[in-house]
Amino acid sequence: MDAFEIRGGQPLRGETRVYGAKNAALPILAATVMTEETCVIEDVPDLEDVKVMMDILRTLGAKVERVEDAVIVHPKDIRSANVPPDLMRRMRSSIFLMGPLLARFGEVRVSKPGGCVIGQRPIDYHLRGMRALGASIEEKHGFVRCTSHRLFGNEIILDFPSVGATENLIMAATLADGETVIENAAREPEILDLANFLNKCGANIEGAGDDTVRIQGVHHLHGATHRIIPDRIVAGTILLAAAATRGKVTLTGAEPAHLTALLSKLREGGVRVSTDHDIITVECLKPWRAVDVRTSPYPGFPTDLQAPFMAALTTAVGTSVIRESVFEARFKHVNELTRMGADVSVDLQTAVVRGVAQLSGASVEATDLRGGAALVIAGLMADGTTRVEGLQHIDRGYQQLDVYLRDLGAAIVRVSS
């Protein structure tokens, strides 16, 4: 297994571009199965999760190729609506194929999805919504089978603004008869990006990005070319790493409006932040001040940045309180941070971070994607050398993170055990 070896104490400095968002690319790639025509998706990151989605599409019968940063999908020859269980278990986002395949073929069979173990992420919202659109659901032996001769528009009120359920239901409703209205929909930018792609393909979707989404069903979608939005979580991770190491980094190709909650907290902690169109610059010349954070659905503070933010707060002046309100098991990185000298205590969904003068290098292991990013940031801050194992988690969401950071001056290398 590979590991990162990081020699801490090097401030990150320089300029780099933000690549496309994994969380936008995956549902958009899933949506390509709804047409028989070629789709070109540009600025797709080269990540393990993306590779799994491409493999699933190929297994279903599509021809899929990568040309530089674009993924080209030829979905005409898709004949199967059975998602391979071994691939499904490798990536939770494969559940996105439920809505598109059901809409195109009238049936779909998937296994319960896998992914990071960060708490309960039931697919009940997905299934309840599919039933509302007229699907019959059968759950047996770890598989879910959805069938429907024809989907019909309906009003769906989500108990929680689930991103995955909102996206899945938008895709299913796109080819349903009549109008579908989704209330209490998730508002993440990736949902708007999905709707923009589908509208390019001939869909009729309004309100994506707000809490009420209206979809007028159409009978046919055509191919399209679409460039996905920049990855706000990768952008936030790099900004946090720059500020935590008391450096100065400029991100280009970013979208400041997608990171309002994070940028506000950085400023509250004493970090200099400037924005201009698609450019974000952070600079930190002195220790942070303690900052309290509560995660919540967009536009609140993103749960995916909770762990990286905690790492940056471990050397802040004072005591910070972090409340995780989205996933109940998202503090698994805390034990590893304490191995590096952090002073963090957890009580249920609340973590109290008491700032220390310095972290020290240690051997630690990532157990999930964003927790792994937190350990990398801690290693960049620490005195001495840190070894971060469990890179299979980090590789799911960060494209060549060691190269990305090394270009900004970090002393980080990838080594094989």
Side-chain angles (χ1 to χ4, degrees):
M1 301 296 288
D2 288 357
F4 285 150
E5 287 191 354
I6 307 168
R7 181 165 53 84
Q10 305 294 318
L12 298 191
R13 299 189 183 279
E15 180 177 308
T16 190
R17 175 185 170 275
V18 183
Y19 50 79
K22 179 196 83 159
N23 290 337
L26 294 175
I28 288 174
L29 287 173
T32 62
V33 309
M34 299 170 66
T35 177
E36 294 188 0
E37 299 180 14
T38 298
C39 296
V40 181
I41 314 302
E42 299 176 335
D43 204 11
V44 178
D46 189 13
L47 304 171
E48 285 303 311
D49 275 7
V50 171
K51 292 174 183 176
V52 172
M53 181 62 80
M54 292 169 65
D55 285 343
I56 291 174
L57 295 176
R58 290 188 184 105
T59 302
L60 295 175
K63 296 178 181 177
V64 185
E65 57 184 325
R66 177 181 278 276
V67 179
E68 297 181 347
D69 73 350
V71 173
I72 304 171
V73 182
H74 308 276
K76 183 178 180 179
D77 294 332
I78 292 178
R79 295 292 180 265
S80 173
N82 294 327
V83 181
D86 57 326
L87 294 175
M88 189 94 185
R89 283 191 293 268
R90 287 173 55 190
M91 182 185 65
R92 181 176 179 82
S93 298
S94 50
I95 195 67
F96 288 132
L97 286 154
M98 178 186 290
L101 289 172
L102 178 63
R104 178 171 169 180
F105 294 103
E107 66 173 333
V108 61
R109 182 175 181 267
V110 298
S111 61
K112 296 295 181 67
C116 284
V117 183
I118 55 175
Q120 292 298 314
R121 298 192 284 179
I123 61 173
D124 296 0
Y125 303 131
H126 302 249
L127 301 182
R128 208 172 299 152
M130 296 302 170
R131 285 193 180 97
L133 295 175
S136 297
I137 310 291
E138 181 183 40
E139 296 183 71
K140 188 181 295 184
H141 307 305
F143 289 88
V144 178
R145 184 170 181 263
C146 306
T147 57
S148 176
H149 294 299
R150 187 66 186 169
L151 297 176
F152 297 92
N154 202 346
E155 182 175 1
I156 301 170
I157 302 176
L158 294 175
D159 292 338
F160 178 83
S162 162
V163 175
T166 300
E167 292 173 327
N168 227 341
L169 295 174
I170 286 175
M171 289 186 280
T174 291
L175 293 179
D177 287 337
E179 181 183 65
T180 297
V181 179
I182 304 174
E183 300 280 4
N184 196 31
R187 300 165 57 188
E188 272 71 2
E190 294 79 10
I191 291 171
L192 177 58
D193 204 34
L194 171 63
N196 287 340
F197 167 69
L198 289 170
N199 284 338
K200 287 182 181 179
C201 295
N204 186 352
I205 304 167
E206 296 181 350
D210 293 327
D211 56 9
T212 300
V213 183
R214 296 181 180 274
I215 307 104
Q216 295 287 344
V218 299
H219 295 293
H220 172 76
L221 295 179
H222 52 74
T225 296
H226 181 77
R227 189 172 189 85
I228 63 174
I229 58 175
D231 196 313
R232 60 194 174 97
I233 305 303
V234 169
T237 301
I238 300 302
L239 294 175
L240 285 166
T245 58
R246 300 187 197 176
K248 180 179 181 180
V249 167
T250 297
L251 293 183
T252 61
E255 180 47 77
H258 295 170
L259 288 162
T260 301
L262 171 66
L263 300 183
S264 175
K265 289 298 179 181
L266 286 172
R267 291 187 177 104
E268 186 179 334
V271 179
R272 295 180 183 176
V273 179
S274 62
T275 62
D276 181 15
H277 186 50
D278 65 344
I279 299 173
I280 306 174
T281 299
V282 297
E283 182 178 18
C284 187
L285 302 176
K286 56 185 179 181
W288 287 35
R289 296 188 295 271
V291 177
D292 293 343
V293 171
R294 180 185 179 88
T295 65
S296 60
Y298 188 86
F301 193 93
T303 180
D304 281 350
L305 287 176
Q306 175 259 108
F309 199 80
M310 179 187 292
L313 288 175
T314 57
T315 59
V317 177
T319 299
S320 305
V321 178
I322 299 176
R323 293 180 174 85
E324 174 57 60
S325 67
V326 180
F327 293 119
E328 74 277 8
R330 207 153 201 182
F331 286 142
K332 293 189 175 182
H333 53 282
V334 169
N335 288 340
E336 302 300 283
L337 287 176
T338 58
R339 288 169 59 84
M340 301 178 68
D343 185 352
V344 184
S345 57
V346 175
D347 182 12
L348 297 177
Q349 298 305 105
T350 300
V352 178
V353 185
R354 300 171 184 86
V356 298
Q358 179 76 65
L359 296 180
S360 58
S363 181
V364 293
E365 182 175 3
T367 58
D368 64 84
L369 170 55
R370 307 306 175 182
L375 298 180
V376 171
I377 291 176
L380 295 172
M381 300 163 60
D383 177 48
T385 299
T386 297
R387 180 183 177 91
V388 180
E389 299 181 341
L391 298 195
Q392 71 273 18
H393 298 292
I394 297 174
D395 290 342
R396 288 184 46 240
Y398 295 92
Q399 177 178 295
Q400 295 185 307
L401 183 58
D402 55 324
V403 176
Y404 208 65
L405 292 171
R406 206 158 49 240
D407 287 345
L408 296 172
I412 176 173
V413 293
R414 188 177 186 122
V415 297
S416 297
S417 299

